[in-house]
Amino acid sequence: MGRINNIWYYLSRHKYLITVVIGAVLVGVVDENSVRSLVMLSMRLNEKNEELQAYEEQFERDSIRLHNFEASLKGVETIARERYKMKRADEDVFVLSTEKNIGRENYE
């Protein structure tokens, strides 16, 4: 009985500290709205904001291209050359790639 009394005395003496520690663990780790989930959601929000920024930049570029396309035939030629790799009858087009093993699949 002495051991149980010692434990009970310790728990009753530090009951506020124990309550705060248990509450912090519940709020910080276990709860649905925990600090851990808040950090995860914050990281995901940052990723989505970066994606949004990239899409906005792409929208601006495409809007300028669309305006050029609608403005003149020169815009049509530019888009055809860049996107579809079209060429005039009297010129040659060389497509450069940054990949190292293009065309070497048959040799290895």
Side-chain angles (χ1 to χ4, degrees), residues 46-62:
N46 288 338
E47 290 173 4
K48 296 300 178 185
N49 283 335
E50 289 173 2
E51 286 181 27
L52 178 65
Q53 184 69 25
Y55 285 133
E56 286 176 350
E57 290 171 2
Q58 182 180 358
F59 175 75
E60 289 296 323
R61 286 191 312 265
D62 290 343

Side-chain angles (χ1 to χ4, degrees), residues 19-51:
T19 304
V20 168
V21 168
I22 290 173
V25 167
L26 287 176
V27 170
V29 179
V30 179
D31 191 29
E32 180 180 316
N33 299 320
S34 67
V35 175
R36 183 180 57 89
S37 65
L38 177 67
V39 169
M40 299 282 282
L41 289 173
S42 176
M43 289 172 32
R44 189 170 174 200
L45 179 64
N46 288 338
E47 290 173 4
K48 296 300 178 185
N49 283 335
E50 289 173 2
E51 286 181 27

Side-chain angles (χ1 to χ4, degrees), residues 3 7 11 15-16 23-25 27-28 34 44 50 64-65 67 72 88-91 93-94 96 108:
R3 188 173 191 155
I7 293 172
L11 291 176
K15 60 185 169 195
Y16 297 112
V25 167
V27 170
S34 67
R44 189 170 174 200
E50 289 173 2
I64 292 170
R65 281 187 170 181
H67 178 71
S72 68
R88 293 185 184 143
D90 61 340
E91 68 182 6
V93 176
F94 297 97
L96 302 177
E108 294 179 1

